[in-house]
């Protein structure tokens, strides 16, 4: 455990007021705030170290390239990947999963081939597979969660058939907080020759992740939730899968040679990184991950587990509020509805008046909302800098909303 006030002091935005109230930022599931080291790194990169990467022979281009390329190794370390050539840099999870859909899946899916998804996937891990359904006749097979929001790994394994070409699952639900036992699923899937893609957008923020121990083929992360800049991210691609992939976006940087008649691609991972990348965003992401590793992922997870338990205890005391997702070992993410007709947007507006920032809506999880029979929820999602006092402020604001709408 760490002193949360020391962590908070690293995040300048946390000391500002909103609507005359201290900011209680509980929208980390959507995007996290940035520590001063990241803000400074971004400023320095533009003020002193900026040029395009990979193509220049001049000092600044070499410096920017060195800083940018250095992040590949930081991400590899963060994800427990021994060979950084298996890390493809990109703008975030959405791009990462689309790369796999276009570059790996489209060339090998035939009509009737199946991709297994859980019902709690984010649209970023649904829509690319709908592309495959629309264009190539792929079949989307859905595995439900139980009434606590847990996903039984055996149910996923049982859904595998000879037509299954891919399993694509979140590692942690952005709505329910459910953690998925990816390791068990990967073991069984590997035995049946089925690759597994893991959406690590939430999990990698809140708990230690070792991709090699998990045994997955693809693992996507997104920088802006990892206390880094938006427009940064990466996807781990196992080298065997990388060898099977075709490039997705064509342009500069991903080629070695282009003539009128042919194109010779760069070696992976650059083969899958076309055009000028998010240079400064990626540099900022490297600093953010170093910052997180400096604190220690086990310490971050322990802090957030304690917050989760406190928040659960306080929210359970509100008998007019229903939390979605009640598995004991979940992430500190609470989606809820209130008795009565109050819409999630109205509740979040009241909370905002009290300086409490939460998200309201479908959270990009249409199939899950349909499964839960809900139009929308409010979601309070915690990060490494949140405190039990902030849980209390959330509860006070919720009590006010309840009084107003009861
Ligand atoms: N997957 C999950 C579980 C998410 O929570 C999110 C973001 O909300 C995404 C994917 C998409 O991430 P991005 O919009 O950064 O690409």
């Amino acid at each position: 455990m760490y002193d949360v006030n020391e962590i908070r002091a690293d995040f300048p935005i946390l000391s500002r007021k909103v609507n005359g109230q201290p900011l209680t930022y509980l929208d980390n599931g959507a995007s996290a705030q940035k520590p001063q080291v990241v803000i400074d790194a971004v400023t320095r990169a533009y003020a002193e170290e900026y040029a395009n990467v990979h193509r220049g022979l001049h000092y600044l281009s070499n410096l920017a390239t060195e800083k940018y390329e250095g992040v590949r190794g930081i991400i590899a370390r963060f994800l427990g990947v021994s060979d950084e050539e298996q890390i493809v840099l990109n703008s975030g999870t959405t791009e990462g999963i689309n790369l796999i859909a276009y570059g790996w899946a489209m060339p090998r899916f035939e009509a009737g081939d199946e991709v297994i998804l859980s019902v709690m996937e984010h649209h970023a891990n649904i829509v690319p597979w709908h592309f495959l359904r629309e264009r190539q006749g792929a079949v989307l097979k859905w595995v439900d969660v139980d009434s606590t929001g847990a996903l039984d790994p055996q149910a996923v394994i049982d859904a595998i058939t000879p037509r299954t070409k891919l399993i694509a699952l979140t590692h942690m639900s952005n709505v329910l907080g459910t953690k998925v036992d990816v390791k068990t699923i990967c073991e069984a899937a590997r035995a049946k020759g089925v690759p597994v893609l893991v959406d690590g957008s939430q999990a990698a923020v809140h708990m230690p992740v070792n991709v090699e121990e998990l045994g997955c083929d693809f693992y996507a992360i997104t920088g802006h939730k990892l206390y880094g800049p938006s427009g940064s991210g990466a996807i781990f691609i196992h080298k065997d899968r990388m060898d099977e992939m075709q490039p997705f976006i064509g342009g500069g940087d991903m080629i070695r040679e282009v003539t009128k008649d042919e194109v010779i691609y760069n070696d992976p991972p650059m083969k899958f990184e076309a055009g000028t990348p998010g240079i400064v965003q990626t540099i900022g992401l490297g600093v953010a991950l170093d910052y997180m590793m400096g604190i220690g992922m086990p310490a971050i997870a322990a802090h957030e587990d304690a917050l989760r338990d406190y928040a659960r205890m306080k929210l359970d005391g509100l008998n007019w509020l229903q939390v979605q997702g009640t598995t004991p070992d979940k992430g500190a993410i609470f989606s809820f509805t209130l008795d009565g007709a109050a819409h999630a947007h109205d509740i979040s507006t009241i909370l905002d008046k009290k300086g409490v920032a939460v998200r309201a809506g479908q959270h990009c999880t249409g199939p899950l909302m349909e499964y839960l029979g809900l139009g929308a929820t409010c979601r309070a999602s915690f990060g490494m800098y949140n405190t039990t006092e902030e849980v209390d402020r959330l509860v006070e604001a919720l009590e006010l909303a309840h009084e107003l709408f009861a």
Side-chain angles (χ1 to χ4, degrees):
M1 287 281 217
Y2 46 75
D3 180 353
V4 68
N5 288 319
E6 274 178 24
I7 304 281
R8 290 180 72 77
D10 291 339
F11 289 80
I13 204 168
L14 297 180
S15 54
R16 69 159 289 169
K17 292 196 165 181
V18 165
N19 293 325
Q21 306 280 337
L23 169 65
T24 301
Y25 188 77
L26 302 179
D27 195 16
N28 297 284
S31 206
Q33 299 298 348
K34 320 303 170 198
Q36 190 66 48
V37 280
V38 169
I39 298 166
D40 289 347
V42 167
T43 307
R44 192 172 50 248
Y46 278 126
E48 297 170 26
E49 299 167 346
Y50 185 77
N52 210 335
V53 290
H54 298 143
R55 355 195 139 161
L57 289 173
H58 59 85
Y59 176 85
L60 279 182
S61 179
N62 289 334
L63 181 61
T65 302
E66 201 179 297
K67 295 248 168 183
Y68 173 81
E69 278 299 326
V71 178
R72 216 181 283 281
I74 298 172
I75 295 171
R77 201 153 35 87
F78 181 73
L79 291 178
V81 174
S82 44
D83 171 12
E84 68 176 56
E85 304 286 291
Q86 297 181 107
I87 302 294
V88 170
L89 302 171
N90 58 31
S91 63
T93 293
T94 301
E95 186 183 334
I97 297 179
N98 275 275
L99 167 65
I100 306 311
Y102 280 91
W104 184 83
M106 278 189 188
R108 48 183 32 76
F109 266 67
E110 288 169 8
D113 284 343
E114 298 163 356
V115 54
I116 297 175
L117 305 169
S118 89
V119 75
M120 62 185 163
E121 297 311 313
H122 186 281
H123 293 167
N125 194 28
I126 299 175
V127 180
W129 312 119
H130 271 307
F131 290 169
L132 248 75
R133 180 189 57 74
E134 288 175 345
R135 298 173 198 184
Q136 295 179 223
V139 175
L140 275 51
K141 280 187 83 175
W142 297 92
V143 181
D144 288 341
V145 292
D146 69 16
S147 60
T148 68
L151 182 70
D152 178 3
Q154 194 56 47
V156 177
I157 296 163
D158 290 345
I160 299 173
T161 74
R163 297 304 303 266
T164 307
K165 280 271 167 62
L166 182 71
I167 299 171
L169 297 172
T170 188
H171 199 184
M172 180 185 285
S173 161
N174 62 312
V175 174
L176 307 172
T178 306
K179 294 178 189 170
V180 173
D181 181 0
V182 165
K183 191 170 184 216
T184 301
I185 294 166
C186 287
E187 263 166 28
R190 198 175 329 114
K192 294 177 188 234
V194 179
V196 180
L197 177 147
V198 182
D199 175 354
S201 304
Q202 298 290 338
V205 185
H206 304 295
M207 61 198 219
V209 170
N210 186 307
V211 158
E212 288 178 2
E213 275 173 22
L214 291 177
C216 60
D217 298 81
F218 310 101
Y219 196 99
I221 57 170
T222 199
H224 65 100
K225 297 187 205 284
L226 289 157
Y227 308 98
S230 59
S232 66
I235 185 160
F236 157 80
I237 305 176
H238 190 285
K239 53 181 173 325
D240 294 348
R241 301 287 87 73
M242 229 183 229
D243 290 344
E244 296 167 351
M245 279 173 60
Q246 292 180 5
F248 162 37
I249 299 176
D253 253 21
M254 52 82 75
I255 44 81
R256 187 170 301 140
E257 214 179 302
V258 181
T259 68
K260 283 182 179 162
D261 300 318
E262 67 167 349
V263 48
I264 300 168
Y265 299 120
N266 226 326
D267 289 333
M270 285 188 68
K271 185 177 176 183
F272 305 107
E273 298 173 353
T276 299
I279 301 164
V280 174
Q281 294 91 321
T282 302
I283 292 170
L285 172 59
V287 173
L289 297 183
D290 269 341
Y291 176 80
M292 292 178 83
M293 288 188 279
I295 295 165
M297 289 310 294
I300 290 172
H303 174 77
E304 293 186 12
D305 284 353
L307 264 183
R308 172 203 61 204
D309 292 344
Y310 184 76
R312 194 199 317 262
M313 190 257 295
K314 296 297 262 189
L315 294 176
D316 280 352
L318 309 176
N319 61 8
W320 34 265
L321 178 142
Q322 298 80 37
V323 171
Q324 303 296 326
T326 53
T327 52
D329 181 32
K330 62 179 233 162
I333 298 175
F334 292 89
S335 290
F336 53 82
T337 51
L338 264 59
D339 277 352
H343 191 277
H345 288 104
D346 297 330
I347 297 161
S348 74
T349 304
I350 305 286
L351 300 191
D352 187 47
K353 296 268 178 290
K354 292 290 184 188
V356 180
V358 297
R359 199 162 193 81
Q362 292 216 337
H363 318 292
C364 294
T365 56
L368 178 63
M369 290 294 143
E370 190 186 340
Y371 179 73
L372 297 172
L374 295 170
T377 68
C378 276
R379 179 186 69 185
S381 51
F382 294 80
M384 67 159 102
Y385 39 61
N386 289 122
T387 64
T388 50
E389 290 76 26
E390 290 182 307
V391 175
D392 293 341
R393 266 188 247 143
L394 167 70
V395 169
E396 269 170 40
L398 283 169
E399 279 166 340
L400 176 68
H402 174 59
E403 272 167 35
L404 285 173
F405 291 116

